[in-house]
Amino acid sequence: MSHKNLSAKIKIPRILKDKLNNKKINQIYKKFENSLNLNESFAVGVSGGPDSLALAFLSKIYSLKKNITSKFFIVDHKLRTGSTNEAKLVKKTLKRHFIKAEILTWKGKKPSKNVQSRARKKRYDLLFDKCKRLNINNILLGHHSEDLIENFFIRMIRGSGLKGLTSLEKKNSLNDVNLLRPLLNEKKKNLVFLSKGVFNFYVEDPSNNDDKYLRIRIRKMMYEFEKNGLDKKKILNTIKNLKNSNEVVNFYVNKNIKENTVSSNNENKVILKNEFFNHSYEVIFRSLSDVLKLVSKRYYSVRGKKLDKFINSIENDKSFKVTLGGCIIERVNQTIIIAKEH
């Protein structure tokens, strides 16, 4: 690489570079840089909250230093009055700091139930669609350590198993797109500090004070836990231990899929060998869930109750043809075939 290219690689706008002179912000960046460790183009989801604004700043610095392409997207869900003006304000704030962002708008009828989960799904859909058109395979998300804890308790309340309790990962993939969470080991208070220090601005989501949402009730519950000695560090250690156990199960799930499935070239059809079901129930359950996601190209897994009911019915039905998780599952003689539903 020429000296000219080397100098271009580290050329950072002064308004951003000056912020790195702050010792604490620089420490947060160094931790972020080591956590991300990426040398390909990426997209960043920005909501306007302190977590995502901190991510926007850190990832912009990273892309300039590494001389790689970065794209920034703000999703306007249009679920509450003023969301469009809010998105425009976030876009304007980023632009003043040499971060060019595009607003992606959720058009059409909005749900009246399960609003947050459906909004999250739509947000992913919009980001995936945009990245596909731009040929970008990496999306950065602003989840932090408190999100990890909240996710743990939400899953516990819902009766999730080992996989669900540890479902928020630093990296997972869908349809050849990597979802990356480089701030997963960072404290929220540090991201608030960074957002204030860099932008002197962030958006307060009114839903953060609404007890009708489970996540908010869990945040208040965590405060009570901390007062009684169950601090966040202990919970994070528990999650870490569970993740280690989960990796063992994942090993056998991946081994089962590799050895006991046959895929078509475009992965729109998968054949399950008889040996696919010669494992512990948890391995069978996860293996089948992963195969259904692979074939259907869906982000979310089939609901556990539906999958559980189907697995338990397999032994009793000599022949069947059912639809599950965007797939058609059919037994032909002694072979089970899974094909994408059209």
Side-chain angles (χ1 to χ4, degrees), residues 23 26 36 62-63 67 96 122 126 133 148 169 185 190 197 268 281 296 308 338:
K23 184 178 179 180
N26 192 268
L36 184 55
Y62 185 93
S63 67
N67 197 25
R96 287 200 299 265
K122 188 62 180 181
L126 289 168
R133 283 185 274 142
L148 192 62
E169 298 282 355
N185 294 322
N190 290 337
N268 283 338
Y281 182 82
S296 68
D308 182 68
I338 301 177

Side-chain angles (χ1 to χ4, degrees), residues 164-175:
L165 293 173
T166 60
S167 61
L168 201 59
E169 298 282 355
K170 182 180 174 183
K171 176 181 177 180
N172 61 312
S173 301
L174 176 69
N175 300 346

Side-chain angles (χ1 to χ4, degrees), residues 73-134:
F73 300 108
I74 304 163
V75 176
D76 178 11
H77 296 90
K78 285 190 174 291
L79 289 172
R80 51 187 171 82
T81 304
S83 68
T84 299
N85 288 334
E86 184 180 282
K88 290 179 179 178
L89 179 58
V90 172
K91 180 179 179 178
K92 185 177 179 181
T93 300
L94 292 173
K95 186 177 180 181
R96 287 200 299 265
H97 293 79
F98 293 87
I99 302 172
K100 184 180 178 182
E102 180 182 347
I103 298 174
L104 307 178
T105 304
W106 181 4
K107 299 177 181 178
K109 187 178 180 180
K110 304 301 185 290
S112 58
K113 296 180 180 179
N114 299 321
V115 176
Q116 286 198 329
S117 61
R118 292 186 182 183
R120 181 170 58 252
K121 182 180 184 303
K122 188 62 180 181
R123 181 163 60 250
Y124 282 127
D125 288 344
L126 289 168
L127 289 171
F128 278 129
D129 182 64
K130 193 68 180 180
C131 287
K132 184 177 181 181
R133 283 185 274 142
L134 294 172

